[in-house]
Amino acid sequence: MSSGLTRQLVRHITDVAAHPLLPAVKREAQRTLLNALGVAVAGTRYGAFRSVVAVARIHGGRPASPVAAQPERFDAYFAALLTGLAAHLDDFDDTHLASVIHPGAATLGASLALGAWRGTTGSKFLTAFALGCEVQLRVGMAISPSHYDQGWHITGTCGVIGAVVSGGLILGLDFESIASALGIAASQTLGHREGFGTHTKAFHPGKAAANGVLAALLAESGFSGSPEVFEAPRGFLGVLAPRQRSELLTDGFGDRWELLSNTYKPYPCGIVNHPGIDAAIALHRRIEDVATIREVIYECHPLVPELMGLLQPTDGLAARFSAAHGVAAGLADGRVSLAQYENTRVRSSDLDRLRSLVRFEPTPMLGRDEAGIQIRLADGRWLREHVDHARGSLAHPLTDGELEAKVRDLIEPMMPGAAQSVISAVGGLERAHSLERLVAAIVPSGGGVGR
């Protein structure tokens, strides 16, 4: 048997899947899963989600899989697409800062669609979910930063890999079938950064989840894919990144987990803007009247204006890619939540004025989770605030209580009274004989689990 990189990776995946998760990994997998479920429920309120529902009703196959906050079922392909889409629409999902991947959305989409349809234990589901996230992140690290710098949306391109790993494990694919599934999935990469600020950005992890489901089901039926897709010169790594570190796919696999470096957003926008928002909120407490602000200097990592340089967004979707908006909202309101990204708030005159005052000062020496804000008031005074590590970063992570509070805020407006059931179901997942309790918590009618 060849000992190529792809087969080494598959061997690591199957070996780790055969044993219980390490306690720290289990905890982070549960935190990632809980966060993904919360944002998936909240994301179902958007017109973009309803558009895909309408298409799925017409063109989908046999209803088999649940989707959060929906009383009806869909075929596994569209269910995965809908879940992955919803989990990214608010840009409020988890983030692995080193790769800028949001691993939860695509992995949840595939895991839930196949796990609820085909049936699996809670422990197997959690392990598959954890490994889907882990492999996705390792692939992302192997092609960073050149892949992202070329304009690829790494959450979409790597998301399909995470989706097929989780899906393949839930289906119980053997070694050769998982290798084929990876080859099939790697041929279905998608996502360009040009889609940022549109519904297409959230479509990327949704379609990655659906493509992962399709790849796993095709491999299960005997469909073949390249068993050397990661090491081949014209394979995934060679084609999608001019510079790679392929050793990161397998080094320390099972002992060192990239999943343990996952983080959870306290604000629904690009994570590179979070330290600036922290600083703006801190300054809000020191200002008697924001109308007296005359100038705002934003010292930040160069990625901030590159990814979020839009100064005057016209709606809530575009505002998620406007660092000036996040800072203006923090200065004006003293908080930044979903309400600050509603269209009416984005278009308000006070935020329009504050955004126009923001001037970026990109500073390469600053960390991605670091920023400084300086404001000049009408009386000539300057106020300054510096954030060394943003709230929600690895150095300042959300506590379990803060994460649960976030999930409650996301779920309760859509499904009143359901948040605690979701939290409890995720907490008890490892002991669950099926996904019945989890599905009942996220589906309004309670639903069932079955073929």
Side-chain angles (χ1 to χ4, degrees):
M1 180 182 293
S2 169
S3 59
L5 181 62
T6 304
R7 288 184 174 274
Q8 291 178 36
L9 179 62
V10 175
R11 178 61 64 199
H12 285 306
I13 292 169
T14 54
D15 285 350
V16 172
H19 299 89
L21 293 173
L22 299 171
V25 175
K26 181 185 75 171
R27 176 177 180 267
E28 215 55 58
Q30 288 175 315
R31 281 163 58 87
T32 300
L33 176 61
L34 179 61
N35 188 82
L37 288 168
V39 292
V41 169
T44 63
R45 73 189 187 281
Y46 290 109
F49 177 84
R50 293 192 293 273
S51 294
V52 180
V53 166
V55 172
R57 286 171 176 162
I58 297 171
H59 299 289
R62 181 167 64 90
S65 300
V67 173
Q70 304 303 297
E72 61 187 300
R73 288 183 175 241
F74 301 86
D75 67 33
Y77 182 90
F78 271 108
L81 195 162
L82 284 164
T83 296
L85 172 81
H88 198 54
L89 276 169
D90 270 321
D91 232 294
F92 210 0
D93 43 351
D94 56 329
T95 306
H96 180 261
L97 195 56
S99 63
V100 206
I101 289 178
H102 311 282
T107 310
L108 173 65
S111 300
L112 183 63
L114 291 175
W117 169 35
R118 290 295 191 88
T120 185
T121 65
S123 178
K124 184 176 180 180
F125 177 89
L126 192 63
T127 295
F129 179 81
L131 281 165
C133 291
E134 177 66 15
V135 176
Q136 180 180 171
L137 295 176
R138 282 175 170 266
V139 172
M141 290 298 292
I143 57 178
S144 292
S146 65
H147 175 73
Y148 195 79
D149 290 345
Q150 287 195 133
W152 292 101
H153 182 197
I154 196 168
T155 295
T157 55
C158 294
V160 67
I161 304 300
V164 77
V165 167
S166 61
L169 290 173
I170 285 172
L171 292 178
L173 299 186
D174 60 22
F175 183 98
E176 295 297 335
S177 296
I178 291 177
S180 285
L182 283 169
I184 300 166
S187 293
Q188 299 182 83
T189 55
L190 81 159
H192 312 129
R193 285 165 55 189
E194 181 61 26
F196 288 13
T198 73
H199 294 141
T200 304
K201 182 175 189 285
F203 176 75
H204 294 162
K207 192 61 163 60
N211 287 350
V213 165
L214 179 60
L217 291 172
L218 285 172
E220 184 185 42
S221 72
F223 200 91
S224 65
S226 169
E228 299 179 345
V229 74
F230 290 121
E231 63 266 37
R234 292 182 294 276
F236 185 97
L237 303 183
V239 170
L240 296 183
R243 293 176 299 281
Q244 316 100 34
R245 293 177 292 170
S246 59
E247 70 277 3
L248 295 183
L249 266 68
T250 56
D251 281 1
F253 201 106
D255 297 320
R256 180 185 59 79
W257 286 74
E258 288 293 337
L259 181 59
L260 297 181
S261 296
N262 206 21
T263 66
Y264 312 93
K265 293 183 177 182
Y267 310 118
C269 63
I271 197 167
V272 294
N273 195 33
H274 288 199
I277 293 174
D278 282 346
I281 290 173
L283 284 167
H284 170 85
R285 306 187 190 106
R286 301 166 57 188
I287 305 169
E288 293 182 4
D289 183 1
V290 294
T292 64
I293 297 176
R294 295 292 181 267
E295 187 175 359
V296 181
I297 299 176
Y298 186 178
E299 299 170 341
C300 56
H301 189 279
L303 272 177
V304 176
E306 178 185 339
L307 299 178
M308 303 183 66
L310 181 64
L311 292 176
Q312 291 296 358
T314 57
D315 57 29
L317 182 61
R320 285 172 164 80
F321 301 93
S322 170
H325 175 78
V327 167
L331 289 170
D333 298 348
R335 68 191 302 265
V336 176
S337 65
L338 291 175
Q340 278 65 45
Y341 290 89
E342 293 293 337
N343 290 343
T344 52
R345 189 67 186 115
V346 172
R347 296 165 182 161
S348 61
S349 59
D350 64 325
L351 291 190
D352 181 79
R353 186 189 79 87
L354 285 171
R355 287 192 298 258
S356 70
L357 301 177
V358 175
R359 175 163 57 89
F360 295 107
E361 287 195 356
T363 307
M365 291 183 296
L366 290 180
R368 291 187 181 185
D369 60 347
E370 182 182 7
I373 301 287
Q374 302 179 48
I375 59 172
R376 179 173 60 84
L377 303 179
D379 61 9
R381 286 183 300 139
W382 283 90
L383 299 180
R384 297 172 174 82
E385 195 72 38
H386 187 89
V387 172
D388 291 324
H389 300 287
R391 180 169 168 258
S393 66
L394 281 176
H396 190 185
L398 294 189
T399 66
D400 289 349
E402 288 173 326
L403 181 57
E404 290 181 6
K406 171 186 174 178
V407 169
R408 291 181 194 277
D409 288 344
L410 289 166
I411 292 177
E412 289 300 317
M414 301 296 299
M415 300 174 61
Q420 185 55 51
S421 295
V422 175
I423 292 169
S424 297
V426 171
L429 193 59
E430 192 180 37
R431 301 180 299 277
H433 296 297
S434 73
L435 299 187
E436 186 74 45
R437 185 183 176 194
L438 180 66
V439 172
I442 62 172
V443 175
S445 63
V449 176
R451 292 180 177 269

